[in-house]
Amino acid sequence: MKKLLTVIGLILLVVVIGGMIFINHFKTRAIPDYNKDIKLSGLISDVTVFRDSFAIPHIYAENEHDLYVAVGYAMAQDRLWQMDLLRRVTQGRLSEILGKDLVDADMLFRSLRFTEKSRKVFGAADANLRSCVESFADGVNQYIRQAGKNLPPEFGILGYKPEPWLPEHSLNLVGYMAWDLSTGWPNEVFLDQMRQKLGPYLSRYMMPDMDSVHKTSIYPDFKLDKGAADILTKLSKTASIVDELGLDVFRGSNNWAVSGKKSVTGKPLLANDMHLGFNIPGIWYQMHQVIPGKLNVTGVVLPGQPIVIAGHNDSIAWGFTNMMTDDADFYQETINPQNPDQYLLNGAWKDLIRVPEKILIKGGDSLIKFNLFTHRGPIISEQKKVNDKVLSMRWLGNEDSDEIRSVYLLNRASNWTDFRNALSTFRSVNQNAVYADVNGNIGLQATIGIPIREGDRTLVYSGDTDRYDWKGLVPFDELPFTFNPECGYVASANCKTVPADYPYYISDWYILPYRMDRIIEMLKEKEKLSSEDFQRMQGDQKSKMAEKFTRYFLSHLVVAKSGLSGSEKEVFELMGKWDYTLLKERPEALIFEKWYYLTGLNLVKDQMDSLLLTKFVGDKTFFENFLENMLIAPSDNWADDINTKNVTETFGDMIGLSFQQTVRELSSEFGGEPVGWKWGDSHTFTLAHPLSKVKILDRIFHLNRGPYPVGGSSHTVGPYTNPFNKNSAVYHGASERHIFDTGNWDSSLTVIPTGESGIPASKHYCDQTESYVTNKYHSDFVTRAKVEGAALYRMKFTR
């Protein structure tokens, strides 16, 4: 028996050791040797790649063909699975690897026709641009062939291999940047539900600006029926899959630039930080691309396409913020009761375009579904009966534009004229593009496709007439811009872009201007600003919103101060001395965020059902608009609790009740004296991998990183956005930070929240995270001597 147990023990030991060896090989097999020279077919000359201590590639080639072959190979070494995931989104092929729950998402993304537009754009592209994209695809495919079975672990976990990369896949990803449906219409669905539940007076408090609510509409008797609202709600949930997979690109953002007269260097400085969800791999890939004498560009690249999206070359620097455009309209269509493949238009039945879609599902199953299209765009509702009303969508991403041309030319632009020429075709990705150049100029240009549309804004137009079809887009020369303003600075932060007299409708759903106000305040603090000042600004956690609301809230507690308990008095004193900086080590931010949340919740919870309340609490847009409007025009109709009899509560009463509730809940959660509470104990973020929801995978492969305690909030320039719930887990923030010095490009700085590598076992998977959370940067060298001096890895692609 002893011998038998010994043998069994040895066998188990061998199995365990063998399993550990296998898992380690599985985890590490795709980690590249950055010092190993690699032979590539089709090169004209050798290509040299230096990587610094963060493995950021600096690629030196003699011509564009060789450069982009090398770019494709190097990027695939680090981010192949992420690249494949992104292209599957644009192709509507997630079900093949993730299962049947993604079928609706696949149908939605196929209806957006990314590939159809990409093929059209690619077919009309300049020969040099076509060659660039083709060379990139060649580099990716050479990596796939050479890697063989040594692929990133996600391919093995999900049980599939990457298909060859095509040029259209890269164009799909550039077009994918336009996917920003969540800007306006989901908000309007909720607002319509609010109107039907609460009436026009109470619901108008949810709007960004009550005075902007239109008094009349195209169809004054039109109400969005429940079926249509459900359709749009379902569409919103389906579209949110990109957020869950960590694939959103442009959402919130900050950018600004100062001219030489406001810079200590005498030359412009430019800062940019684009905001999105915290996930791994990060959405940006840092890269430096060089063809001596022809191209020297550095910045961030969207994995799967070869061109720097935001960065600088030898002459100019540029960056982006979301313009928050309302870029989709919906039409309620009448279907022919005698023929479900026809819809009514101008008194006649028109044929729907019917496109069969074969959806492959993980496990080997498949199904055939159909996407239907009107002349405006896809039908985004399923027809359950032939006489159903259905909704079609016109989306800006399907309009004529050429973003790949734009970024290609931006990489090569020399001045403001070149910059604007490049952006003239950047119509589907609605951004504020900030600019600075070596000649001392600064500017800001709206890169936006503004639909020209008749009628008042409404959620759903009638599709029975073409009267409300888009009549084209506003010409580029009529888009907002500023160049070398007298004040010496430009800035944007997702707030309202144009004055009220601008003749075209852009959006109702801008972000409140607190970040913008704080940026302007800091830009005016000093006569001249330095790179160090810009670093401080990007990490700034002082809130103009907290200042405004804390002062207002405290003013309603002064009268009742004598009736406060010991802990309540201590909290009152803390908040009265606060400088409105949301530090992770201090209690004030924790108190403010809880007090702010409970005030809004207590004002509305008696008048909303559970579904409306969940949406209201879960969407900061409505929550913040509501409290903003309550400060402007306090409403006893909202403040009065309808569940209490013979008592009429005021806004001040609800502020006081919420204050007491705040102290009780925080005392229960954190205990001790209020001065010892810490915002960072509640306010943390975790970098999450798309596959980490399967806990055993996270434990084996260490997919996630964190949590990291942080300060700030959504309304601070250094943004860390958290939901309104008990656990203030941060889910959104700056996806990159750049500071560009046009007087000395080698003094430019950058950092991302993650790292260059998308391979969890790589030491470069999240090697910039600690710097990021402590608001530190690393150099972004572009001169050859500096690059070589900082190189940790050196390799060549040879012929």
Side-chain angles (χ1 to χ4, degrees):
M1 182 61 68
K2 290 182 179 179
K3 290 182 179 179
L4 179 61
L5 291 175
T6 300
V7 170
I8 292 173
L10 289 173
I11 291 173
L12 290 175
L13 180 62
V14 170
V15 170
V16 170
I17 293 174
M20 293 175 63
I21 292 172
F22 172 77
I23 291 174
N24 184 66
H25 171 70
F26 191 80
K27 290 163 57 174
T28 61
R29 65 187 183 184
I31 297 176
D33 181 352
Y34 295 132
N35 286 312
K36 180 182 178 181
D37 293 347
I38 296 171
K39 185 175 182 179
L40 297 181
S41 63
L43 291 182
I44 300 170
S45 303
D46 291 351
V47 178
T48 302
V49 181
F50 302 99
R51 289 182 183 254
D52 61 19
S53 60
F54 297 100
I56 298 169
H58 300 255
I59 302 178
Y60 288 81
E62 296 300 318
N63 55 76
E64 285 198 355
H65 170 269
D66 291 352
L67 174 67
Y68 291 114
V69 170
V71 166
Y73 195 102
M75 186 184 294
Q77 285 182 305
D78 293 323
R79 299 288 188 93
L80 182 63
W81 185 72
Q82 182 188 27
M83 293 162 60
D84 185 72
L85 188 64
L86 279 164
R87 73 167 162 177
R88 284 182 175 275
V89 171
T90 67
Q91 293 174 308
R93 296 180 58 195
L94 292 171
S95 299
E96 293 180 33
I97 63 171
L98 299 176
K100 63 182 179 180
D101 291 343
L102 279 299
V103 168
D104 285 344
D106 283 344
M107 287 297 290
L108 170 62
F109 290 118
R110 291 188 188 201
S111 77
L112 297 178
R113 298 186 282 191
F114 289 117
T115 299
E116 180 181 326
K117 180 176 178 178
S118 293
R119 289 171 178 169
K120 178 181 177 181
V121 170
F122 188 69
D126 172 84
N128 290 333
L129 179 53
R130 287 172 58 92
S131 176
C132 153
V133 180
E134 290 169 342
S135 299
F136 173 81
D138 180 30
V140 175
N141 290 328
Q142 290 200 54
Y143 171 77
I144 293 173
R145 289 193 297 270
Q146 291 186 16
K149 295 181 179 180
N150 295 325
L151 294 168
E154 294 92 341
F155 288 106
I157 292 169
L158 296 173
Y160 78 103
K161 295 181 180 179
E163 298 173 357
W165 196 269
L166 301 178
E168 66 192 45
H169 299 156
S170 295
L171 270 70
N172 280 5
L173 299 188
V174 176
Y176 171 73
M177 293 189 299
W179 176 245
D180 192 17
L181 270 176
S182 62
T183 295
W185 62 266
N187 295 337
E188 292 167 348
V189 173
F190 175 70
L191 188 62
D192 184 83
Q193 294 168 338
M194 287 288 295
R195 289 193 188 106
Q196 294 190 39
K197 173 71 175 176
L198 301 169
Y201 175 78
L202 291 180
S203 62
R204 75 191 186 110
Y205 273 76
M206 304 297 165
M207 290 292 291
D209 179 357
M210 291 187 297
D211 294 334
S212 72
V213 178
H214 301 295
K215 302 295 189 294
T216 59
S217 62
I218 301 167
Y219 293 99
D221 297 325
F222 177 82
K223 290 184 178 179
L224 183 64
D225 60 60
K226 185 179 185 302
D230 288 346
I231 288 165
L232 291 178
T233 300
K234 179 182 178 183
L235 179 63
S236 180
K237 291 178 180 177
T238 301
S240 69
I241 187 65
V242 298
D243 299 335
E244 295 175 16
L245 293 175
L247 303 176
D248 58 331
V249 182
F250 291 117
R251 291 299 172 90
S253 300
N254 302 315
N255 64 30
W256 62 85
V258 297
S259 66
K261 77 175 186 179
K262 278 194 68 67
S263 164
V264 296
T265 68
K267 290 285 188 178
L269 298 172
L270 183 149
N272 187 212
D273 56 290
M274 299 175 283
H275 305 168
L276 50 78
F278 286 123
N279 297 281
I280 316 174
I283 200 65
W284 299 119
Y285 184 72
Q286 296 165 297
M287 181 173 275
H288 177 208
Q289 303 172 0
V290 184
I291 303 173
K294 296 182 180 180
L295 181 70
N296 187 14
V297 61
T298 186
V300 290
V301 180
L302 183 65
Q305 68 82 38
I307 304 172
V308 171
I309 301 296
H312 79 78
N313 58 28
D314 283 337
S315 301
I316 76 164
W318 71 95
F320 296 104
T321 62
N322 193 333
M323 203 165 176
M324 312 306 291
T325 308
D326 188 350
D327 57 6
D329 281 339
F330 295 86
Y331 301 83
Q332 191 154 302
E333 307 287 358
T334 300
I335 300 299
N336 186 348
Q338 305 302 320
N339 183 350
D341 288 333
Q342 291 185 327
Y343 67 105
L344 185 65
L345 182 67
N346 296 332
W349 296 113
K350 300 292 183 181
D351 289 336
L352 290 164
I353 299 171
R354 188 177 177 89
V355 179
E357 302 285 1
K358 184 176 182 179
I359 306 290
L360 302 179
I361 301 173
K362 184 177 177 64
D365 292 337
S366 65
L367 55 85
I368 301 293
K369 300 191 78 171
F370 290 88
N371 270 321
L372 303 175
F373 298 86
T374 71
H375 68 289
R376 302 182 185 96
I379 298 284
I380 48 85
S381 55
E382 293 183 359
Q383 299 180 51
K384 296 183 175 63
K385 292 179 291 186
V386 295
N387 61 348
D388 273 354
K389 293 283 187 178
V390 299
L391 298 185
S392 66
M393 174 180 71
R394 184 154 187 177
W395 174 53
L396 189 61
N398 292 138
E399 302 300 303
D400 287 339
S401 64
D402 194 346
E403 284 72 32
I404 193 75
R405 167 197 175 270
S406 292
V407 292
Y408 181 83
L409 293 179
L410 281 175
N411 283 216
R412 292 155 177 80
S414 298
N415 51 51
W416 176 250
T417 301
D418 290 348
F419 174 73
R420 297 191 76 222
N421 173 56
L423 292 175
S424 65
T425 53
F426 204 79
R427 288 188 288 267
S428 292
V429 188
N430 296 306
Q431 300 290 304
N432 292 300
V434 68
Y435 170 92
D437 67 34
V438 294
N439 295 316
N441 301 299
I442 60 171
L444 194 66
Q445 172 69 54
T447 68
I448 174 176
I450 304 176
I452 300 173
R453 41 195 162 190
E454 183 176 336
D456 196 359
R457 277 302 298 143
T458 185
L459 177 57
V460 177
Y461 292 101
S462 168
D464 294 351
T465 172
D466 64 2
R467 178 179 176 184
Y468 307 109
D469 285 6
W470 294 1
K471 307 301 190 295
L473 303 178
V474 174
F476 182 77
D477 289 341
E478 296 182 36
L479 298 180
F481 74 93
T482 183
F483 184 62
N484 288 335
E486 183 62 31
C487 64
Y489 61 80
V490 294
S492 67
N494 318 121
C495 54
K496 190 172 183 179
T497 307
V498 292
D501 60 355
Y502 187 67
Y504 303 106
Y505 167 77
I506 297 176
S507 180
D508 286 328
W509 300 102
Y510 300 104
I511 301 298
L512 293 170
Y514 292 115
R515 279 187 287 114
M516 181 69 167
D517 291 344
R518 178 60 179 152
I519 290 169
I520 298 301
E521 182 176 76
M522 290 188 288
L523 287 172
K524 291 180 176 180
E525 282 178 352
K526 293 184 176 181
E527 183 179 350
K528 294 183 182 294
L529 297 162
S530 65
S531 176
E532 290 74 20
D533 292 319
F534 274 31
Q535 293 175 56
R536 172 179 53 82
M537 290 174 66
Q538 285 191 326
D540 182 72
Q541 295 177 345
K542 187 171 184 177
S543 170
K544 301 298 291 182
M545 188 181 93
E547 178 180 355
K548 178 178 180 178
F549 277 88
T550 301
R551 288 178 173 177
Y552 187 94
F553 285 4
L554 287 175
S555 70
H556 286 77
L557 291 182
V558 172
V559 175
K561 182 181 177 183
S562 59
L564 299 179
S565 69
S567 292
E568 290 168 353
K569 287 181 180 179
E570 185 177 350
V571 169
F572 182 91
E573 296 296 332
L574 281 170
M575 299 306 288
K577 298 175 182 178
W578 188 30
D579 69 352
Y580 317 111
T581 303
L582 282 73
L583 298 175
K584 66 180 181 181
E585 304 89 356
R586 294 286 303 172
E588 292 89 353
L590 181 66
I591 296 164
F592 169 75
E593 292 277 330
K594 174 69 77 171
W595 190 5
Y596 179 86
Y597 161 64
L598 289 175
T599 299
L601 179 66
N602 289 330
L603 285 165
V604 304
K605 66 181 183 181
D606 60 317
Q607 301 196 58
M608 289 189 186
D609 59 34
S610 59
L611 291 177
L612 287 180
L613 189 62
T614 298
K615 173 65 177 174
F616 176 74
V617 171
D619 191 317
K620 284 202 166 187
T621 300
F622 288 106
F623 204 103
E624 292 175 355
N625 288 334
F626 172 72
L627 283 177
E628 189 76 16
N629 288 327
M630 284 294 290
L631 257 65
I632 295 171
S635 167
D636 287 345
N637 289 324
W638 273 116
D640 184 30
D641 186 345
I642 62 176
N643 296 317
T644 59
K645 297 180 179 180
N646 303 319
V647 178
T648 301
E649 289 88 359
T650 66
F651 186 26
D653 292 334
M654 300 310 289
I655 291 171
L657 289 170
S658 300
F659 175 78
Q660 293 176 320
Q661 185 180 351
T662 295
V663 177
R664 286 197 308 271
E665 291 190 7
L666 293 180
S667 295
S668 175
E669 184 175 355
F670 295 99
E673 297 296 321
V675 71
W677 301 340
K678 295 181 180 179
W679 179 221
D681 287 345
S682 174
H683 195 240
T684 67
F685 80 88
T686 296
L687 294 164
H689 187 283
L691 300 185
S692 65
K693 291 181 180 179
V694 181
K695 299 303 181 184
I696 187 65
L697 293 179
D698 187 23
R699 286 194 290 268
I700 292 174
F701 294 97
H702 195 198
L703 299 175
N704 290 354
R705 297 292 189 273
Y708 301 93
V710 290
S713 189
S714 60
H715 42 88
T716 55
V717 177
Y720 288 100
T721 300
N722 56 281
F724 288 130
N725 56 32
K726 185 175 182 180
N727 178 17
S728 300
V730 173
Y731 63 92
H732 192 273
S735 63
E736 48 74 51
R737 299 187 189 115
H738 276 97
I739 298 171
F740 297 130
D741 185 345
T742 66
N744 178 8
W745 293 121
D746 282 330
S747 296
S748 298
L749 301 168
T750 183
V751 70
I752 60 175
T754 54
E756 281 292 270
S757 179
I759 303 169
S762 170
K763 68 179 182 180
H764 300 296
Y765 185 58
C766 281
D767 58 342
Q768 298 186 48
T769 307
E770 288 296 333
S771 294
Y772 177 87
V773 297
T774 55
N775 205 45
K776 296 178 182 177
Y777 298 71
H778 60 82
S779 297
D780 189 14
F781 295 138
V782 291
T783 59
R784 180 88 181 229
K786 289 280 189 179
V787 168
E788 290 196 37
L792 183 62
Y793 309 100
R794 303 160 187 255
M795 60 88 66
K796 284 189 177 184
F797 292 115
T798 62
R799 292 173 288 173

